[in-house]
Amino acid sequence: MTQPFDICIRGDGIVGRTLALLLARERLHVGLVSTPSPANPGVASAAPDVRAYALNAKSRAVLESLRCWPDAQHATEVLAMRVLGDDGGEVNFSAQELKVPGLTWIVDVPVLEAQLAAAVRFQPQIELLQAPQAASLTVICEGKASRTRAEFGIEFEINRYPQTAIAARLTCELPHAQAARQWFSKGEILAFLPLDGPQGNSVAIVWSVLDGRVESLLTASPFDFCQQLQVASQGCLGQLTLTSERCAWPLQSARAERWVGSHEGKAWALAGDAAHNVHPLAGQGLNLGLSDVAALTKTLHEREYWRSVGDEKLLRRYERARKAEVLAMGATMDSLQQLFSQSNAAWQAARNWGMNGFERSGLVKQWVARQAMGF
């Protein structure tokens, strides 16, 4: 007879696999269910994954504890960050000035996913499942289009932005020098994320563009697409060459009304994008998800000996521990997106004045940077 599961995790992406590995270390029997393919995943191409994530020190510590942190070639340390407004506003961050080893690390998504998958296969406490099975606790990690969340009747409030993210990979004429760059212009946001280690000249881009421009950018020739990118990036890395397919997905902020509860007498909890979505302008989405799994693991580890992993009062501790941070981050990202989407001259002047004021704010700027970096 198969040993009953303590926890069934629905969703085997980065968040789900990380949670499974953390819980397996707690000697819990974990079932890990493959994420179902949604009817409309919001990705324009089925080509190889071109995404890259900016992971902070807390996320790195979690993944290193599982021996799943990629090597330096696939986790590029960011030593500087430059953010440019649309009328002279500018904010700069430096690892040297902040006395930290790196501001963040740009991690190649396929490499990280492969390392986590390999670790899962060699963990005897984890069983890979094709369909959900009964467990004391079900954790839903299926992402923003979660079927289980809908099946369980969990309300998910969505605020759709008038933007779509386009992701791709480029090689650049000039080396990136381990600097991340971001431009805010005309209601759009472009980010260049350095790849391939310290000597690399490749970048991953995330270009949050107005919906009306998406089709033309996705269907433009590689040369025309790069020419438009070169203008948007002010030619900072010289000539650009597209080295991947382009993928796209609509942007939204969203949050679940409840993060824990019960369905048909069995406990459930949400984690990652199934619980919350934020705008990618600060690259905090996966950091929030990995903080969720760390907090849930800590909550279960510290439970009283007589409480089961599905105890509702226990799970409320996890919900309280995470909701405040996620709500604050979501509100901040939403406010910034709204601020930079305003096109009139008064708003433009105000936001660029604000950026320059923040650049000169000293300790305030350092505190904000350290919060984002996970220190």
Side-chain angles (χ1 to χ4, degrees), residues 62-93:
V62 169
L63 293 166
E64 282 186 328
S65 75
L66 299 172
R67 299 183 179 181
C68 289
W69 184 251
D71 60 31
Q73 190 73 9
H74 299 102
T76 301
E77 191 174 49
V78 175
L79 301 182
M81 188 175 298
R82 189 180 187 200
V83 183
L84 296 173
D86 50 4
D87 188 24
E90 184 172 340
V91 177
N92 294 282
F93 298 97

Side-chain angles (χ1 to χ4, degrees), residues 351-371:
R351 63 184 174 238
N352 284 278
W353 175 84
M355 290 179 72
N356 290 326
F358 179 73
E359 171 68 5
R360 298 187 297 268
S361 64
L363 293 176
V364 173
K365 176 183 165 185
Q366 290 186 29
W367 182 85
V368 171
R370 287 183 173 276
Q371 293 299 304

Side-chain angles (χ1 to χ4, degrees), residues 54 81-84 93 104 161 163 165 180-184 187-193 206-209 249 251-253 277-287 329-341 355 372:
M81 188 175 298
R82 189 180 187 200
V83 183
L84 296 173
F93 298 97
T104 188
Y161 293 119
Q163 294 174 325
R181 298 168 172 87
Q182 190 172 45
W183 297 265
F184 290 82
E188 300 186 342
I189 307 164
L190 171 63
F192 276 17
L193 309 176
V206 181
W207 198 359
S208 300
V209 303
W249 62 94
L251 293 179
Q252 64 185 40
S253 65
N277 308 159
V278 297
H279 196 286
L281 66 89
Q284 291 299 310
L286 183 55
N287 289 316
M329 181 63 71
T332 301
M333 296 305 100
D334 187 59
S335 297
L336 287 172
Q337 192 279 332
Q338 295 292 336
L339 175 62
F340 281 92
S341 68
M355 290 179 72

Side-chain angles (χ1 to χ4, degrees), residues 264-285:
E264 297 181 350
K266 295 290 186 179
W268 56 262
L270 301 176
D273 281 353
H276 46 75
N277 308 159
V278 297
H279 196 286
L281 66 89
Q284 291 299 310

Side-chain angles (χ1 to χ4, degrees), residues 36 39 76 137 143 155 168 172 231 234 237 248 252 257 265 279 285 324 364 373:
T76 301
L137 170 64
E155 292 187 24
C172 311
V231 172
Q234 302 172 4
L237 293 179
Q252 64 185 40
E257 180 184 11
H279 196 286
V364 173
M373 292 186 298

Side-chain angles (χ1 to χ4, degrees), residues 19-30 123 125-126:
L19 178 61
L21 290 165
L22 290 171
L23 295 178
R25 292 197 313 195
E26 299 293 321
R27 309 306 301 168
L28 295 168
H29 187 206
V30 179
Q123 172 51 260
Q125 291 292 113
I126 301 173

